[in-house]
Amino acid sequence: MDAQQLLVMMATVGDPLGSYLTSLGGGVEGTTMFQGVPLELKHNTGSKTPPSLDIRLRLPFPCPLTVRSETVFDRMAKAIGLAHEIQSGDLMFDQKYYVECEHRSFTAPFLSSSDHRDAARQLLQEIPHAAHVRGDHDGVTLRVSPFKEDQFNKTHFAQALPLLKRFGSEIPQMPPFPRRINPAIPLSIICFLVYFVGLAAYFVGISEYQA
């Protein structure tokens, strides 16, 4: 996607006079406004990674949270206990999508909203090659990867923006962080300390016996 194509795409939803583009080493980036919210588009041509398009609305989001389609590897990891995904309570959603977030106390109330789940579901189902929907301190982002110009058009772009705004709206309040507790001493260190103390006691006992 060249700069002119990106500008035309932004003009379908934003203010053409308020839009501007920046050429990047591996693509092009554009900025405009969508319903009063700063909108950013970043197209990466993908010299070492697949080409991608990031669509970002600068809506405040308290912590990193990613929703993506669940893979076979995700199911295997959960089956053997290597992954512990947060469940929304919506069986169909939980079976099809994987949610990554470090703050469970935020994720549960966020996913309890059907608006947030439906927005993520529609984005991942209806936008061609949608890789994930993510909220973080930079805003809410839909990543399309691999990005194929012949399969992504202005209609998809216009469809994605209201859904992305729904995903990033009415965010529950972030609960206070619990006080950090020092982690338990690893077993390997405990074994080493026991061995060291035992060895020291042995040599002390030998020296006392020889004396």
Side-chain angles (χ1 to χ4, degrees):
M1 175 180 289
D2 58 26
Q4 185 61 34
Q5 290 173 307
L6 193 62
L7 190 61
V8 170
M9 185 176 291
M10 290 192 302
T12 63
V13 295
D15 177 10
L17 299 178
S19 305
Y20 68 88
L21 299 174
T22 304
S23 295
L24 304 172
V28 63
E29 184 175 304
T31 303
T32 187
M33 297 291 290
F34 172 72
Q35 297 180 357
V37 180
L39 165 65
E40 298 175 356
L41 284 85
K42 183 177 181 181
H43 176 231
N44 188 338
T45 54
S47 57
K48 295 183 179 180
T49 58
S52 63
L53 177 68
D54 284 353
I55 305 171
R56 175 179 295 136
L57 289 175
R58 286 283 186 174
L59 292 168
F61 206 91
C63 66
L65 180 145
T66 302
V67 183
R68 56 178 173 78
S69 295
E70 188 167 277
T71 66
V72 174
F73 299 105
D74 294 325
R75 298 187 187 101
M76 291 174 59
K78 289 195 292 186
I80 61 178
L82 294 179
H84 301 281
E85 183 196 12
I86 302 170
Q87 301 294 297
S88 69
D90 181 336
L91 183 61
M92 297 295 291
F93 183 89
D94 293 335
Q95 288 179 342
K96 193 164 185 179
Y97 303 105
Y98 193 88
V99 181
E100 298 173 309
C101 183
E102 295 181 357
H103 304 289
R104 290 175 176 267
S105 55
F106 168 77
T107 310
F110 178 82
L111 291 178
S112 68
S113 165
S114 59
D115 275 351
H116 295 147
R117 297 196 309 273
D118 290 343
R121 181 188 289 115
Q122 287 182 259
L123 285 167
L124 294 171
Q125 281 184 350
E126 300 175 12
I127 304 303
H129 301 288
H132 67 240
V133 189
R134 178 177 173 83
D136 55 30
H137 297 297
D138 292 327
V140 289
T141 305
L142 170 67
R143 170 160 291 184
V144 180
S145 178
F147 176 69
K148 299 181 179 181
E149 295 182 34
D150 59 339
Q151 297 180 17
F152 187 92
N153 54 43
K154 293 183 291 185
T155 302
H156 296 125
F157 179 57
Q159 178 186 6
L161 290 176
L163 293 172
L164 195 58
K165 189 174 182 181
R166 277 177 56 194
F167 182 81
S169 299
E170 299 184 8
I171 302 301
Q173 185 176 0
M174 185 73 178
F177 290 102
R179 291 184 61 186
R180 182 178 293 276
I181 301 174
N182 292 330
I185 301 174
L187 181 62
S188 59
I189 295 179
I190 294 176
C191 293
F192 173 78
L193 291 174
V194 171
Y195 173 78
F196 180 80
V197 171
L199 192 63
Y202 171 78
F203 282 110
V204 169
I206 289 293
S207 61
E208 289 181 351
Y209 174 78
Q210 291 176 344

